[in-house]
Amino acid sequence: MEYEKIIRKNPLSMPAPVGNYTHITKIPRNAELYVTSGQVGVDRNGQFPQNMNEQVSNTFTNIKTVMESEELSADNIIKVNIWATEKIDWEFFDSEWEQLFGNDYPAMTIGYIAELGLPEIKIEIEIWAAKV
């Protein structure tokens, strides 16, 4: 029996993605859905670095940790929502992103906003995942 899997694709009838994401992610029927709270750049000691790139790095560490707690991997991630309060260093961000995803990107939304839940938070990333 062949099991269904999560499928990511970019329709040829529309412009290519302008970043490292996929236009459509199809989740098979009966998949388990997981939604994380926004993961932030706090370290293991509960501290927020002042530097944006350090917060980005911590955020990706926290994403990996929360995913592993449910035996999920990047292959299970179907949607990512990113909010930032200051300009993202895309070269650094993309290096962290590609360490997590390789070249198989989920759907993604990015927004710059005035502030997040605490004044020291510079970036917050919410993950949607599915397990088939």
Side-chain angles (χ1 to χ4, degrees):
M1 172 192 269
E2 186 176 324
Y3 292 97
E4 290 193 59
K5 62 180 189 172
I6 295 168
I7 298 170
R8 306 172 204 286
K9 62 183 180 177
N10 294 306
L12 297 175
S13 58
M14 62 185 301
V18 298
N20 296 335
Y21 62 90
T22 300
H23 283 302
I24 295 176
T25 303
K26 179 182 174 189
I27 300 92
R29 186 181 316 270
N30 298 324
E32 289 183 90
L33 185 63
Y34 297 79
V35 180
T36 70
S37 294
Q39 299 302 302
V40 296
V42 65
D43 67 18
R44 290 260 190 209
N45 299 317
Q47 301 300 308
F48 287 91
Q50 290 294 315
N51 180 281
M52 175 63 144
N53 285 347
E54 288 180 51
Q55 284 202 24
V56 167
S57 185
N58 287 348
T59 301
F60 275 93
T61 297
N62 294 336
I63 289 168
K64 291 172 196 168
T65 301
V66 74
M67 297 293 291
E68 288 168 359
S69 76
E70 292 296 321
E71 299 179 359
L72 299 169
S73 71
D75 292 339
N76 300 106
I77 297 174
I78 57 174
K79 174 74 167 122
V80 178
N81 294 316
I82 302 167
W83 297 279
T85 61
E86 63 182 57
K87 187 171 171 39
I88 294 172
D89 172 351
W90 287 108
E91 186 174 330
F92 183 83
F93 186 93
D94 285 347
S95 70
E96 294 282 330
W97 184 259
E98 289 170 12
Q99 283 180 42
L100 181 59
F101 293 108
N103 290 330
D104 196 17
Y105 307 123
M108 174 178 52
T109 300
I110 301 167
Y112 287 101
I113 58 176
E115 61 184 54
L116 288 158
L118 296 171
E120 55 270 31
I121 300 174
K122 297 174 187 271
I123 190 163
E124 187 165 349
I125 302 178
E126 173 189 7
I127 300 294
W128 288 64
K131 188 186 284 186
V132 181

